[in-house]
Amino acid sequence: MYTNFLRFIDARRAESTMVGIVVLWTVWMGYLALHRFHGLGFGAFDLGIFDQGLWLLSRFEEPFITLRGLHLFADHASYILLVMVPIYWVLPHAEVLVVLCALIPAVAGWLSFVIARGEGLRPWLAVAAASAVLLAPAMVWTPWDAFHPETLAIVLFPASFLAATRKRYTLALVLAALILLVKEDSGLLIAPFALFWWFQWKEARNQAYVLAALAVGFQALSLLVILPGFSPTGELIYTGRYSSDLSTLLTWPRAEYLASILIPGVLAFWAPRVLLLGLPITVANLASAHGYQHEILWHYTAYLLGVLAVAVPLGAARLARLIDDPKRPRWRFPYGKKGALIAAVWIAVMGLGLAGPDLIKRFGMWSGLSAVEHAEVGRILNTIPDEAVVSAHWNLTPHLAHRRHVYMTPNPFAPKNWGVAGKYPPLHDPDTIEYLVIDTRRAVEEIPDLVDRLLAEGWVMDLDGTFQLFRNPAPTGTPGTPPPR
């Protein structure tokens, strides 16, 4: 009985330590991410897009994103944003999305701990396995890239898996179905998961059939009907990124991408069936000509990180059982399974040091402004009325996105990252712009000539500093409409 009591106390200490790790991770990463936000480190692509979209949806308005020149659901099939609208009824702030991206990985780390404990791993070994998940460099980069809907998969996938292991199959099905709402490519994760489900939980095969049907049906609906329906050209926008030439997969940057994700999560290799669930989406990322899809800095790692949040604790538990098995002497490690888990954590730490962001400096990768620059930005934000039509540098737009018409310069004066091929739909009338905001630190080729032309046309400079504010004293036309020919 005394031994059981000591085990109980030890388990509570381990749980308390894990809670502390989760809280520390959330607070520090949230602090860095908010510093980056207030230092203008995030831009129109993509925080501004989702912030404007949620704001419009929360006001029951059509979510045409003027920062992108597209309907929100022509850009990506991120219908999970509809589920998130109530958040903007209560807290309509971009900072909420920024903090959410610090919270999501931390909660995934806690779920990894719970999964490890459910697999029979001792409490402190479970802490080590979950810590390896949180120390993965791609996981730590997540808040740096701000909010993207697929980031939710990092926590939804382990939550669904955990619910299924606890025989709560309906809840597991709902959580997995929510992943299908994050983006049009989520079926590449959920379809394999449905197949895994069919083999793993035989008593819940009916739910596996439903999940498979949802994965295939929803992805087909998004790719063949909804996205083309909202697209101004009637066609998918991003299919041109992908190549069927397999030789494109064999490049050094792609190898670095895989190594920097998988080596820090080395424990996942002892859970190969789960790890393989991330293969289809990973191959898709590798086959893309869009370089961001095979760099760990960006949100394209989200699905694989959700898989690792399950595979790492499962692999840790299996490795521990192999080390304890006297019939498998080749699995001996110095200091046994404790030594193996400590080694795995150190591998994750070294991976973070080599491929992760700087977690100490407040400037550089996390951005920042001087006191004078902060004052200038504050003056600009206080000067521009809520309903004014604005064109601003990309890094200022997330701070101005709660309006129907806000554009990323040089739009709408000249097309850049607008709609499809910069011409579908037509650019809106530039004469409707009331304010133009320039960050002189950010070189945009078209800006100097544009500013000279506007000043010649009678625009007024209200602020001249690191940040410049120009005002149109006589805007004309109807906002959101193309200029007359």
Side-chain angles (χ1 to χ4, degrees):
M1 183 176 179
Y2 181 68
T3 302
N4 290 336
F5 175 73
L6 290 179
R7 288 177 178 173
F8 174 81
I9 294 299
D10 193 51
R12 299 293 82 77
R13 287 175 177 171
E15 289 175 1
S16 298
T17 300
M18 192 65 224
V19 169
I21 291 171
V22 167
V23 171
L24 178 63
W25 204 102
T26 304
V27 169
W28 185 246
M29 297 308 299
Y31 164 74
L32 288 175
L34 285 172
H35 179 75
R36 179 166 162 78
F37 173 76
H38 292 295
L40 307 186
F42 299 126
F45 286 35
D46 291 309
L47 180 61
I49 289 173
F50 298 122
D51 185 37
Q52 186 186 22
L54 279 168
W55 183 81
L56 289 169
L57 288 170
S58 70
R59 295 169 65 90
F60 302 100
E61 297 187 20
E62 181 185 11
F64 183 87
I65 308 303
T66 53
L67 291 173
R68 179 70 179 88
L70 285 174
H71 192 284
L72 181 61
F73 300 126
D75 196 17
H76 290 296
S78 299
Y79 313 120
I80 195 76
L81 295 172
L82 296 169
V83 180
M84 296 177 62
V85 164
I87 297 175
Y88 265 49
W89 292 341
V90 180
L91 294 169
H93 305 291
E95 291 94 328
V96 173
L97 302 181
V98 173
V99 171
L100 189 62
C101 284
L103 180 62
I104 286 171
V107 175
W110 172 259
L111 293 176
S112 295
F113 171 79
V114 176
I115 291 170
R117 292 290 288 131
E119 290 295 312
L121 206 59
R122 296 287 296 274
W124 291 103
L125 297 180
V127 170
S131 297
V133 170
L134 288 174
L135 288 168
M139 191 74 86
V140 181
W141 277 114
T142 297
W144 181 86
D145 194 27
F147 175 77
H148 298 81
E150 56 264 52
T151 304
L152 292 164
I154 297 173
V155 69
L156 287 173
F157 186 79
S160 176
F161 186 92
L162 182 61
T165 62
R166 294 182 172 184
K167 312 300 181 184
R168 300 179 66 180
Y169 298 116
T170 300
L171 175 60
L173 177 61
V174 171
L175 292 169
L178 284 175
I179 298 175
L180 290 171
L181 299 179
V182 302
K183 200 175 174 184
E184 63 275 6
D185 57 358
S186 55
L188 293 175
L189 172 62
I190 298 305
F193 184 41
L195 182 62
F196 175 89
W197 187 317
W198 191 87
F199 284 104
Q200 184 73 13
W201 300 294
K202 295 180 180 180
E203 68 275 22
R205 283 183 170 176
N206 287 338
Q207 287 91 335
Y209 291 130
V210 172
L211 186 59
L214 287 174
V216 175
F218 204 76
Q219 184 141 356
L221 183 66
S222 294
L223 295 176
L224 301 178
V225 179
I226 299 178
L227 285 171
F230 282 116
S231 170
T233 63
E235 299 175 352
L236 293 174
I237 297 172
Y238 298 112
T239 51
R241 289 181 177 180
Y242 299 95
S243 171
S244 59
D245 182 3
L246 296 181
S247 66
T248 60
L249 306 182
L250 305 176
T251 64
W252 182 248
R254 288 168 170 82
E256 285 185 318
Y257 166 78
L258 285 176
S260 57
I261 291 180
L262 296 177
I263 292 177
V266 63
L267 292 169
F269 288 100
W270 278 272
R273 289 195 302 165
V274 174
L275 184 59
L276 283 172
L277 298 180
L279 181 62
I281 189 64
T282 302
V283 170
N285 285 340
L286 294 173
S288 173
H290 186 54
Y292 287 4
Q293 285 189 239
H294 36 82
E295 295 177 1
I296 68 166
L297 285 68
W298 314 105
H299 55 282
Y300 298 99
T301 61
Y303 298 126
L304 187 54
L305 287 175
V307 171
L308 288 175
V310 175
V312 167
L314 290 182
R318 185 166 185 267
L319 178 58
R321 288 192 293 269
L322 289 171
I323 293 172
D324 282 343
D325 189 349
K327 298 179 180 179
R328 298 177 182 269
R330 66 188 182 91
W331 289 104
R332 300 284 78 84
F333 276 83
Y335 303 103
K337 55 191 176 186
K338 183 185 296 186
L341 269 292
I342 290 175
V345 171
W346 272 112
I347 290 172
V349 169
M350 288 187 289
L352 180 60
L354 291 171
D358 185 346
L359 298 178
I360 302 299
K361 293 181 180 178
R362 299 178 61 215
F363 295 90
M365 294 300 288
W366 294 98
S367 189
L369 295 175
S370 68
V372 172
E373 291 167 344
H374 267 298
E376 290 180 359
V377 172
R379 178 179 167 184
I380 288 171
L381 298 181
N382 289 329
T383 299
I384 298 175
D386 291 342
E387 294 297 322
V389 183
V390 180
S391 178
H393 256 96
W394 74 276
N395 56 336
L396 285 149
T397 54
H399 301 262
L400 293 162
H402 290 187
R403 60 191 73 237
R404 294 178 182 86
H405 302 101
V406 54
Y407 303 88
M408 182 181 70
T409 54
N411 297 319
F413 302 98
K416 188 168 186 177
N417 297 318
W418 173 267
V420 181
K423 57 182 179 179
Y424 301 108
L427 268 175
H428 291 172
D429 188 351
D431 290 333
T432 63
I433 300 298
E434 299 172 69
Y435 291 90
L436 173 66
V437 188
I438 302 300
D439 181 350
T440 61
R441 305 169 307 163
R442 308 279 182 174
V444 177
E445 184 179 348
E446 301 88 343
I447 293 301
D449 292 340
L450 171 63
V451 167
D452 291 342
R453 176 168 65 84
L454 294 179
L455 290 174
E457 292 175 359
W459 281 60
V460 178
M461 178 183 283
D462 283 347
L463 177 65
D464 185 11
T466 301
F467 299 92
Q468 297 177 333
L469 177 64
F470 301 88
R471 174 172 47 87
N472 183 0
T476 60
T478 302
T481 57
R485 295 183 177 181

